[in-house]
Amino acid sequence: GDDYNLVGETKIRCEANGKWTRTKTRCEIIKCPAPRAPNGGRVSGYNYEVHKKVEYSCMPGHMLLGDPVLTCLRSGDWSINPPRCKYIDCDKVGPVPGGKVYYANDSTHLGSLIEFRCDKNFKLTGAPKVTCQESGDWSSAPPSCTEVRCPSPEKINNTIFRPSSRGRISSTSSFGVGTILNYRCERGFLLEGGERIVTRRCTDTGGWSGRSPSCSYVDCGVPEV
């Protein structure tokens, strides 16, 4: 049939003894040459006969370029040129100030994952996870970690506050987590509730604990005669 090749002598001859010559002929099924695995890849399929298929795949970190499936033709050739496997590496990212970088797969090749975490009292802005893509780039730029700070509270009439040194005080416009403000009243005024000092703390959400104190004017009234 069309899927076989005739191998050996294809003609017989009438000899003087009145017999036909014996020929050693046979029909062999058409086969294609054994395919070679590409660098960084493999070939699956062990039957290389006509109409049979083989499939190429790549090792982790590689991208397949070309058609992964080849078919053996009646010509004894594979249907197309075999694909190749291209190694892709996204490289390491720089350090993230105020945070840490974790290489989840201990690698930076195609499909690798990076996780970012911020230090205590720092807030993450951006993507917490990125993956290495076929372009050789990470799926997004590294995030940033910014320190959580509490804004300076509004000045309340007749109150005075002083920050403690427990938190980071680098400016008076904002205060680091843990800073404690001690409120008291100006002379001639008393804190609501009769307390001498009211404290508020900068929390890790960037807000102040408690509520704003208020000071009321001290008036003894007209003394009795």
Side-chain angles (χ1 to χ4, degrees):
D2 292 340
D3 294 343
Y4 292 82
N5 286 328
L6 196 66
V7 179
E9 295 177 46
T10 56
K11 295 176 183 175
I12 57 174
R13 197 171 57 254
C14 179
E15 305 236 299
N17 61 5
K19 292 181 180 178
W20 292 100
T21 55
R22 287 187 178 182
T23 58
K24 292 180 180 178
T25 55
R26 65 185 188 278
C27 291
E28 283 187 359
I29 194 163
I30 297 166
K31 282 188 177 180
C32 288
R36 284 178 57 196
N39 287 336
R42 59 172 78 88
V43 187
S44 59
Y46 301 97
N47 192 334
Y48 311 137
E49 294 174 355
V50 65
H51 307 307
K52 300 297 181 183
K53 299 179 190 298
V54 291
E55 188 167 357
Y56 287 71
S57 58
C58 293
M59 305 287 187
H62 295 74
M63 181 177 72
L64 190 125
L65 301 174
D67 197 318
V69 179
L70 273 65
T71 307
C72 182
L73 304 176
R74 281 179 174 152
S75 62
D77 301 311
W78 291 104
S79 53
I80 45 172
N81 287 330
R84 64 188 183 90
C85 294
K86 181 184 177 184
Y87 183 73
I88 291 170
D89 197 324
C90 289
D91 297 325
K92 288 196 169 186
V93 296
V96 175
K100 292 181 177 62
V101 182
Y102 297 92
Y103 293 90
N105 314 90
D106 289 326
S107 63
T108 57
H109 59 56
L110 179 67
S112 298
L113 173 73
I114 294 181
E115 293 181 19
F116 301 93
R117 291 174 211 154
C118 291
D119 298 339
K120 189 180 178 184
N121 299 334
F122 280 77
K123 188 175 78 172
L124 188 137
T125 305
K129 296 179 182 180
V130 296
T131 52
C132 180
Q133 299 181 304
E134 291 179 355
S135 61
D137 301 310
W138 294 103
S139 52
S140 63
S144 59
C145 293
T146 50
E147 187 188 2
V148 176
R149 294 185 69 79
C150 293
S152 182
E154 291 178 18
K155 178 80 173 77
I156 302 163
N157 286 345
N158 310 312
T159 61
I160 302 166
F161 67 77
R162 280 209 177 86
S164 73
S165 57
R166 193 175 296 182
R168 278 184 53 199
I169 302 166
S170 55
S171 71
T172 54
S173 61
S174 67
F175 299 93
V177 174
T179 302
I180 291 175
L181 299 185
N182 294 313
Y183 282 86
R184 61 184 180 81
C185 293
E186 290 178 347
R187 193 177 177 86
F189 290 83
L190 275 179
L191 275 165
E192 185 183 14
E195 295 161 281
R196 198 170 64 83
I197 290 176
V198 169
T199 60
R200 299 186 76 190
R201 182 179 174 277
C202 177
T203 67
D204 56 11
T205 57
W208 293 101
S209 65
R211 59 190 184 88
S212 299
S214 63
C215 293
S216 53
Y217 182 63
V218 178
D219 190 349
C220 294
V222 179
E224 292 180 15
V225 176

